[in-house]
Amino acid sequence: MSNIGSYEERLRGFDWTIARKALDWDESRDILNIGWICSDRVCERMGLADKTALIWEGFGERRSVYTYDDVRVYSNGFASFLAGLGLEVGDRVCIFMDRIPSLYISFLGVLKAGCIAQPLFSAFGDESLEVRLASAETRAILTTQKHVKKVRKILEKLPSLELVILVEGESEKLREGEILYEMEKAPRVESFEVRASGPEVPSVLHYTSGTTGMPKGALHVHGSIWGQALTTLWVLDLKPDDIYWCTADPGWVTGTSYGIIGPWSLGITQCVLDSGFTAERWYRFIQENRVTVWYSAPTAIRSLMREGDEVVRKHDLSSLRHLASVGEPLNAEAVIWSQKVLGLPFRDNFWQTETGSIMIANYPGMEIRPGSMGKPFPGIEATVLDLKTHAPIEQPGRVGLIAFRPGWPAMFREYWNKPDVYRSKFYGDVGSKSPRELRLDPGVWYSSGDRASIDADGYFWFVGRDDDVINTGGHLVGPFEIESALIEHEAVAEAAAVGKPDEVNMEVVKAFVTLNPGFEPSGDLELDIMNFIRKRLSPLAMPQEIEFTEKLPKTRSGKILRRYLHALEWGEDVGDLSTLEDD
Ligand code: ATP
Ligand code: MG
């Protein structure tokens, strides 16, 4: 039996206090601070001090295991160290390191110290780092010997950045002013009194992926826990004996909401693999750790598909019982593949950095319609808004903007220093309302900036980002549909569809594709693929040109960067590329 049981039953009489009950929350004893909830509370209130919290594997044979008590003591260590350095409640502390245990544990320490955690992806170069540290006026950065070079390069340009702390390294290699703090070598800190708690206390500042433009800093609060814990229970279906693997890096919101906060608030054992991607390594990780629940992303799933089925058969993946995906639209082909080859479907779900927790999902036990994102989480009022009038669309199948009624617990509270951008995401009687007023206003809609339709049974179908939709001869074509059809062609591994200029039709579809092993680019193949799309979809959706490429441009979080391809086609400025993956 799944945690959610019947989706329809859960909708009835839902209110967010259910999350408190699910956590067995005791208002008189419990402290609303995510750092405390994910460590002290699990040890003391749940009695799981000796349970494994983290199984970590790195390159080679490196492996280490941490109990919840270890996590509690080491995060206390970080918290008391940071407080001792003079960091104050509300200061931004950046966490900039590979997926090592210190990343996960310092995150809790920063929160216990009352500071705002600002996790950034360690593959960022110095420019990407600088943009985000300058934007947040970050006061301290936690990093490692491997990455500190990038910090040194930009330090002079960042007057707010006072403290550079290395969580591993050699003291002889430190520069003047840098501090070394190694959690396992530092004195044990048995107890630490958290310095800030409460639903509206800021917790995490996450920068978006930068898929559509300059990344924005979405500010979250400790009260997000209700949304994160309940979605972890009902969508990811985590239970006490699970071994859970979330492949997202905590530099992105999935890696914190569901790679730290959700599972650890519930006392679940999770594992982390910090050694690049190969299908062989990933399957072996699942086999050896007996992973039961796996949360990943379409880009990874498509890479696994490309590697073929043979490598799957070489491994024992029988421990898996539930799979979920987020981050980009999950092509129907990928759902069908995983059902066939892994024996389980990947269940797609939709949300954003801004939403903080899962908004639309395919729940365990619910019928999957491959290619659909599923239905809104209980307590989430979701709709699609007319593209012109911005009124909710009643008619099934008509495409509009995905929008949510504001006020769910994990909703972002603001864009850092960008109140106007925040306001621009709302429709209705917005006026000059403050972020707080907008969040509590039952008359406005928050728009995600994505397009979808809702079918007669309430399933949401993704079309594309608002900016990515192609207007060809007055007809709007969503890139997702074209790309999904493209990857159904036996030769195509990955695809991106964008509009290119056309005198007659304003825009026509152009596709960029990467090929599966064993296929070579040719004129015949191009024609074959074009015809395939014409028959599958329509002459309108058929690409007028196909460009074969070795790889597609992606954000560092693995999303296809259509705006980049679009700009190249139109001879426009490609804009901010600090987010472009470059390896
Ligand atoms: P930026 O806001 O900087 O342009 P981004 O929107 O890619 O970057 P994220 O918050 O990481 O930053 O991603 C959220 C977006 O990812 C969604 O708005 C949507 O476009 C896409 N997305 C996430 N999950 C899904 C899904 N299941 N199906 C389709 N699209 C998805
Ligand atoms: Mg976005």
Side-chain angles (χ1 to χ4, degrees):
M1 178 70 170
S2 65
N3 288 334
I4 188 167
S6 153
Y7 171 73
E8 279 73 25
E9 285 290 312
R10 295 293 191 185
L11 290 178
R12 253 170 255 147
F14 180 91
D15 76 83
W16 285 103
T17 60
I18 292 172
R20 280 167 212 256
K21 288 191 204 108
L23 273 180
D24 187 25
W25 191 257
D26 179 344
E27 214 61 64
S28 65
R29 283 196 288 169
D30 286 323
I31 302 170
L32 190 47
N33 174 294
I34 289 170
W36 183 85
I37 293 170
C38 293
S39 57
D40 299 62
R41 187 173 189 275
V42 178
C43 295
E44 290 154 21
R45 289 261 287 110
M46 299 172 80
L48 299 175
D50 295 330
K51 184 174 175 179
T52 299
L54 177 67
I55 301 168
W56 176 84
E57 289 186 20
F59 283 99
E61 298 300 308
R62 294 200 303 157
R63 187 173 202 270
S64 45
V65 175
Y66 298 82
T67 64
Y68 271 100
D69 199 51
D70 295 332
V71 171
R72 183 184 69 78
V73 169
Y74 295 147
S75 59
N76 281 347
F78 273 112
S80 93
F81 175 72
L82 294 172
L85 289 174
L87 285 165
E88 284 165 27
V89 170
D91 280 345
R92 275 76 62 210
V93 177
C94 173
I95 305 175
F96 185 58
M97 55 190 87
D98 296 344
R99 263 177 261 177
I100 55 175
S102 293
L103 191 173
Y104 296 80
I105 295 171
S106 69
F107 178 82
L108 302 186
V110 170
L111 297 181
K112 286 182 180 180
C115 300
I116 301 176
Q118 182 193 9
L120 290 177
F121 191 33
S122 64
F124 277 145
D126 53 287
E127 275 178 38
S128 307
L129 188 62
E130 187 192 331
V131 172
R132 291 158 178 85
L133 295 178
S135 156
E137 293 176 283
T138 309
R139 212 171 148 210
I141 185 165
L142 297 166
T143 188
T144 57
Q145 193 87 57
K146 181 175 163 195
H147 294 291
V148 73
K149 290 185 256 3
K150 298 184 256 188
V151 182
R152 287 174 184 159
K153 253 177 125 172
I154 56 177
L155 199 54
E156 284 212 330
K157 293 185 267 179
L158 297 166
S160 307
L161 190 62
E162 291 165 33
L163 298 162
V164 179
I165 303 153
L166 280 79
V167 302
E168 61 177 34
E170 295 158 54
S171 44
E172 311 81 68
K173 293 194 178 153
L174 260 54
R175 295 257 177 101
E176 204 193 319
E178 293 171 357
I179 315 162
L180 183 63
Y181 180 85
E182 293 176 289
M183 64 176 190
E184 290 179 66
K185 293 188 188 155
R188 286 173 68 84
V189 179
E190 279 304 330
S191 67
F192 179 85
E193 201 173 317
V194 301
R195 297 203 302 170
S197 61
E200 292 304 315
V201 171
S203 55
V204 186
L205 180 63
H206 254 304
Y207 280 76
T208 58
S209 293
T211 314
T212 51
M214 205 58 183
K216 305 166 287 279
L219 183 67
H220 290 280
V221 291
H222 285 273
S224 67
I225 187 75
W226 309 122
Q228 290 151 338
L230 200 62
T231 48
T232 301
L233 282 169
W234 289 2
V235 181
L236 301 178
D237 200 40
L238 290 183
K239 299 182 178 152
D241 292 335
D242 274 315
I243 306 287
Y244 166 66
W245 184 27
C246 169
T247 62
D249 189 284
W252 314 113
V253 72
T254 307
T256 56
S257 286
Y258 299 102
I260 304 180
I261 303 170
W264 276 359
S265 67
L266 297 164
I268 303 291
T269 299
Q270 65 161 332
C271 45
V272 167
L273 177 61
D274 183 31
S275 75
F277 172 86
T278 67
E280 160 71 34
R281 185 70 186 93
W282 276 36
Y283 292 136
R284 186 153 50 84
F285 186 71
I286 294 173
Q287 171 178 302
E288 289 175 357
N289 291 299
R290 307 293 300 154
V291 171
T292 56
V293 178
W294 183 18
Y295 193 19
S296 198
T299 180
I301 299 164
R302 289 191 300 260
S303 301
L304 293 172
M305 288 166 71
R306 191 167 190 261
E307 297 297 316
D309 306 351
E310 196 52 34
V311 56
V312 180
R313 279 191 283 274
K314 280 199 220 133
H315 293 89
D316 173 9
L317 306 180
S318 59
S319 56
L320 291 172
R321 70 166 184 85
H322 181 49
L323 317 179
S325 164
V326 71
E328 276 191 297
L330 183 66
N331 318 88
E333 180 80 356
V335 179
I336 295 161
W337 172 83
S338 80
Q339 177 72 61
K340 189 178 103 213
V341 177
L342 302 171
L344 294 165
F346 268 99
R347 289 177 187 266
D348 188 19
N349 54 73
F350 171 92
W351 57 292
Q352 307 179 291
T353 309
E354 290 88 340
T355 70
S357 63
I358 295 169
M359 302 300 273
I360 299 175
N362 286 282
Y363 304 91
M366 192 173 92
E367 179 214 343
I368 296 186
R369 303 193 174 164
S372 157
M373 310 192 290
K375 298 187 183 186
F377 192 78
I380 300 293
E381 189 184 344
T383 190
V384 291
L385 301 177
D386 185 274
L387 299 170
K388 291 208 181 78
T389 66
H390 300 140
I393 294 174
E394 303 292 338
Q395 191 187 343
R398 233 183 83 205
V399 174
L401 287 168
I402 301 177
F404 304 105
R405 196 66 92 186
W408 66 95
M411 181 178 180
F412 72 137
R413 297 311 199 251
E414 58 177 276
Y415 282 128
W416 196 257
N417 279 336
K418 289 194 165 93
D420 294 340
V421 182
Y422 189 88
R423 211 170 289 121
S424 73
K425 301 286 169 177
F426 291 82
Y427 290 118
D429 182 14
V430 175
S432 57
K433 287 178 187 150
S434 68
R436 184 168 185 279
E437 287 166 333
L438 285 170
R439 186 171 60 78
L440 301 174
D441 188 340
V444 300
W445 293 99
Y446 164 76
S447 162
S448 77
D450 296 290
R451 289 189 191 184
S453 66
I454 310 173
D455 70 19
D457 299 316
Y459 282 81
F460 279 63
W461 296 82
F462 188 78
V463 171
R465 288 170 187 266
D466 199 26
D467 303 350
D468 290 340
V469 169
I470 304 163
N471 186 342
T472 175
H475 299 272
L476 298 177
V477 193
F480 176 50
E481 192 182 19
I482 305 172
E483 291 162 8
S484 288
L486 282 164
I487 72 165
E488 282 175 37
H489 190 284
E490 57 169 2
V492 179
E494 275 202 292
V498 299
K500 71 165 201 173
D502 182 82
E503 278 186 8
V504 181
N505 290 311
M506 195 158 100
E507 281 188 302
V508 289
V509 178
K510 172 165 179 181
F512 293 81
V513 306
T514 64
L515 295 177
N516 277 322
F519 292 90
E520 292 297 328
S522 72
D524 285 349
L525 183 59
E526 184 179 3
L527 278 180
D528 192 60
I529 296 174
M530 284 175 174
N531 274 321
F532 182 81
I533 301 299
R534 188 171 52 79
K535 280 193 219 128
R536 276 292 138 119
L537 300 178
S538 70
L540 265 179
M542 183 183 83
Q544 301 295 314
E545 184 187 342
I546 293 177
E547 185 169 325
F548 297 105
T549 162
E550 281 297 309
K551 60 187 281 211
L552 296 173
K554 289 189 180 168
T555 64
R556 291 181 186 273
S557 54
K559 296 165 194 263
I560 297 172
L561 209 51
R562 293 179 198 79
R563 76 170 154 94
Y564 177 76
L565 296 169
H566 187 270
L568 292 183
E569 289 306 314
W570 291 75
E572 290 166 356
D573 176 21
V574 291
D576 172 65
L577 287 184
S578 66
T579 192
L580 182 70
E581 182 188 65
D582 59 2
D583 50 346

